[in-house]
Amino acid sequence: MKKVLEVKDLNVFFDTYKAEVQAVRGVSFDLHEKETLAIVGESGSGKSVTSQSIMKLIPMPPGKFAGGSIKFNGEELIDKSERQMEDIRGKEISMIFQDPMTSLNPTMTVGKQIAESLIKHQNMSKAQARKRGLELLELVGIPNPEARIDQYPHEYSGGMRQRGMIAIALACNPKVLIADEPTTALDVTIQAQILDLMRDLQDKVNTSIILITHDLGVVANAAHRVAVMYGGKIIETGTVDEIFYNPTHPYTWGLLGSMPDLEGDSDEELQAIPGTPPDLADPPKGCPFAARCPYAMKVCENHMPDYFELSDTQKSACWLLDERSPKVEPPESAKVGGSKRDEQ
Amino acid sequence: MGRYLIQRFGSMVVSLFFIVTITFILMQLAPGGPFASEKKIPPEIEQQMNEKYGLNDPLHIQYFNYLKDVAQWDFGPSFKYTGQSVNDIINRSFEYSLLLGLESIFLALSIGVFLGVIAALRHNTSVDYTAMVIAVLGISVPNFILAAALQYFFAMKLGVLPVARFDSFLHTILPAVALATTPMAFIARLMRSSMLDVLNSDYIKTAKAKGLNERVVTYRHALRNAIMPVVSYLGPLVVAILTGSFVIEEIFDIPGLGAEFVNSVTNRDYTVIMGTTVFFSALLLVSILLVDLLYTLIDPRIKFGKEGGKS
Ligand SMILES: Nc1ncnc2c1ncn2[C@@H]1O[C@H](COP(=O)(O)OP(=O)(O)OP(=O)(O)O)[C@@H](O)[C@H]1O
Ligand SMILES: [Mg+2]
């Protein structure tokens, strides 16, 4: 499959007045056509910074690229000027944000907010943009678009606002859609609807999706591949099956262990991972997870491991995979019975 | 909307009623009478004057007469300027105050908003710091000191602007600047912090993610949302301009309503004091109503009479 997006060794730092925060440290991943890649990880692991870097929406200063490359359809984005990026944002790469309550402009009708990018990128007249806006609202499942198009965001419910956001993001049929926790702020039932909608639209408009979440339930439901981030690094990546059935990194085990079993038929306890994430202003020399890892060895504290390639698609950065390490079995809590995959 | 306006109008009438009543009571409580002055007036004459102006009637009669007159927008005769009614005085002097006030409001709003916006856009740069130093100075220097300083530099030292009076546009500049500076500085700070909030908000990120350029993002998306706190400040702004005008009109010798009010107090010109007070109050109530209407125009979330829609 064709690669739409290639991120290589991306480093994004922030100059704060106290120290340099190394939010993203050497992140690499590819995104293929029509694929959904999930990026999962705890709060502060650098998911949003990574995704916003792709659109160059990180405020600079204080942010800065400290090396790496972001190629979209083979073209380097890091070298592009702000002017050139404007032609890519919203047209080739779009983004939807976590909180639909705050990500729409409260003083502008939803119709106008959709029309803006159509007028900008597709040279539509106002009338044409309105017509297309109605189609888009219909497409994202907003009932009665004729009335809704002239309403303000506060007249929409939360789920409808997120649908509106999706309509805005998909207005110009972007190649890549970045969804930064698109369902976190919504009720469970609405969450499922929004995920269904995204999957549906992915087929219709042939978009690749980067889905950021810390909810593995969402991942199982919606993604093809998964990248697990921790402390500004991707520590394990693989297909959904690989990550769920053959996880190799203790942090991935921890994440799986902390995932609720929605069928609720087991008494197994939810295992929160003890400890706190590393301070990215002073990142540890070795593996960022070492301090919290029950299997940590001496080497982990001082040396970041390279990726061990477990298959064509699965890679993991953990010393346990080195042949010199003791053999460790994943804990019971990280074992995923059929139930966790198929729920919802 | 019609019902809302009627409601608002009703509550304005009630407020005015209380204001008239309270002013009336306060005037009765104040020691001395309208004809008390350094020169002793013969008692017979004072008696005659009191008779003429109805001051010998029982208090409640005086009060009801006054209410009746005010309801017809008639504030009675002046005690000091014989032959002139309070309405004459207001009509004559209000146009000066109105002109000065509008000019000051315009200055305060345009410069304040402008400074606030560029300070926010150039956050943490020298532009930001300069704008905020100006703002802090503007807030901390009282307007009568600023007025004197302006007169000294621009009128006496440089001689580019007239020192006082109110005969041409050039005459209006110094008093308007003196009157506008404090509210202007306040608006600049308000605008800066609200603009910074808005620029950090999610919907601005959404707008940028659509590929809109910075100018469009700033003017179409940020400004309208950021200006809300300034719109709510318009009410207090009108108050600041009104009260500021008492001092500024005195200093610049402008025959406006503010100066007239101050004079009436020193003259114990009862009817003028009460008339101007009621007039200022009415003006204020109307301005607040206008501000509220303006707010509903700018913010679609605010419906007439209630905040927030269904959400
Ligand atoms: N503007 C900024 N200035 C300084 N530090 C920043 C800035 N933006 C992000 N960071 C830091 O970068 C790190 C990664 O943040 P990021 O928002 O990418 O986390 P995240 O994985 O998206 O977390 P969440 O799940 O909470 O959204 C955090 O430590 C954060 O403090
Ligand atoms: Mg985030």
Side-chain angles (χ1 to χ4, degrees), chain B residues 18-37:
Chain B
F18 280 111
I19 291 167
V20 171
T21 308
I22 292 168
T23 350
F24 186 85
I25 295 172
L26 286 176
M27 292 312 296
Q28 296 304 324
L29 292 178
F35 309 115
S37 65

Side-chain angles (χ1 to χ4, degrees), chain A residues 3-271:
Chain A
K3 285 177 191 169
V4 240
L5 200 63
E6 275 181 274
V7 177
K8 272 219 178 68
D9 198 27
L10 180 68
N11 285 277
V12 185
F13 298 169
F14 291 93
D15 286 317
T16 64
Y17 94 110
K18 266 208 225 127
E20 187 180 63
V21 177
Q22 309 192 356
V24 172
R25 307 183 289 146
V27 161
S28 305
F29 62 87
D30 297 335
L31 182 69
H32 300 107
E33 252 178 352
K34 294 205 216 175
E35 169 187 60
T36 299
L37 169 72
I39 301 183
V40 291
E42 277 177 330
S43 195
S45 54
K47 307 181 297 288
S48 298
V49 173
T50 304
S51 61
Q52 287 175 20
S53 300
I54 295 169
M55 289 184 94
K56 301 205 3 186
L57 281 177
I58 300 283
M60 296 195 177
K64 64 174 184 226
F65 284 120
S69 133
I70 302 170
K71 286 214 169 87
F72 170 74
N73 276 342
E75 281 180 60
E76 181 57 70
L77 293 187
I78 290 194
D79 299 337
K80 290 217 187 290
S81 67
E82 188 58 21
R83 200 69 267 304
Q84 293 171 310
M85 281 311 295
E86 278 162 18
D87 289 334
I88 290 177
R89 292 182 195 136
K91 185 176 177 212
E92 309 284 358
I93 309 178
S94 280
M95 190 149 188
I96 50 185
F97 299 97
Q98 174 170 350
D99 189 354
M101 293 303 183
T102 56
S103 48
L104 289 168
N105 184 341
T107 56
M108 196 185 263
T109 63
V110 175
K112 282 211 180 101
Q113 297 189 53
I114 298 176
E116 270 187 328
S117 44
L118 293 168
I119 292 168
K120 155 106 195 177
H121 296 300
Q122 307 199 329
N123 292 322
M124 286 192 182
S125 68
K126 277 195 174 157
Q128 288 169 317
R130 187 185 163 84
K131 205 165 142 264
R132 175 87 178 114
L134 288 171
E135 289 169 15
L136 282 162
L137 288 181
E138 181 99 57
L139 185 71
V140 298
I142 288 183
N144 199 2
E146 285 285 349
R148 291 292 183 176
I149 197 167
D150 293 319
Q151 288 185 340
Y152 290 91
H154 72 270
E155 296 169 278
Y156 281 42
S157 68
M160 263 171 29
R161 282 186 218 184
Q162 200 60 303
R163 286 172 193 266
M165 265 309 292
I166 294 176
I168 292 175
L170 293 183
C172 305
N173 296 332
K175 301 277 177 330
V176 176
L177 174 67
I178 300 173
D180 193 345
E181 312 208 23
T183 59
T184 312
L186 302 173
D187 295 349
V188 184
T189 44
I190 313 280
Q191 277 185 16
Q193 288 172 14
I194 296 288
L195 290 176
D196 281 348
L197 173 68
M198 286 177 53
R199 208 171 15 206
D200 231 41
L201 294 179
Q202 183 170 33
D203 292 341
K204 283 196 194 139
V205 288
N206 289 336
T207 306
S208 312
I209 299 181
I210 297 181
L211 177 66
I212 294 172
T213 176
H214 46 237
D215 182 350
L216 282 173
V218 168
V219 175
N221 237 341
H224 304 110
R225 282 194 309 123
V226 186
V228 182
M229 273 193 90
Y230 187 83
K233 290 178 179 294
I234 291 178
I235 48 94
E236 181 163 14
T237 172
T239 63
V240 169
D241 281 342
E242 286 165 338
I243 295 296
F244 276 81
Y245 296 113
N246 184 30
T248 61
H249 197 289
Y251 179 63
T252 316
W253 297 344
L255 272 187
L256 289 166
S258 64
M259 175 182 165
D261 189 345
L262 286 191
E263 282 186 353
D265 54 357
S266 65
D267 298 328
E268 94 190 85
E269 297 242 333
L270 277 191
Q271 311 273 327

Side-chain angles (χ1 to χ4, degrees), chain B residues 196-240:
Chain B
L196 281 177
D197 277 355
V198 168
L199 286 177
N200 274 324
S201 67
D202 289 351
Y203 56 84
I204 292 301
K205 232 172 211 163
T206 305
K208 283 187 188 149
K210 279 187 223 172
L212 303 177
N213 66 35
E214 193 182 338
R215 223 185 47 250
V216 175
V217 172
T218 308
Y219 293 106
R220 202 187 292 158
H221 288 269
L223 212 50
R224 179 157 173 191
N225 288 290
I227 202 108
M228 300 294 176
V230 174
V231 176
S232 344
Y233 175 67
L234 285 181
L237 172 68
V238 174
V239 178

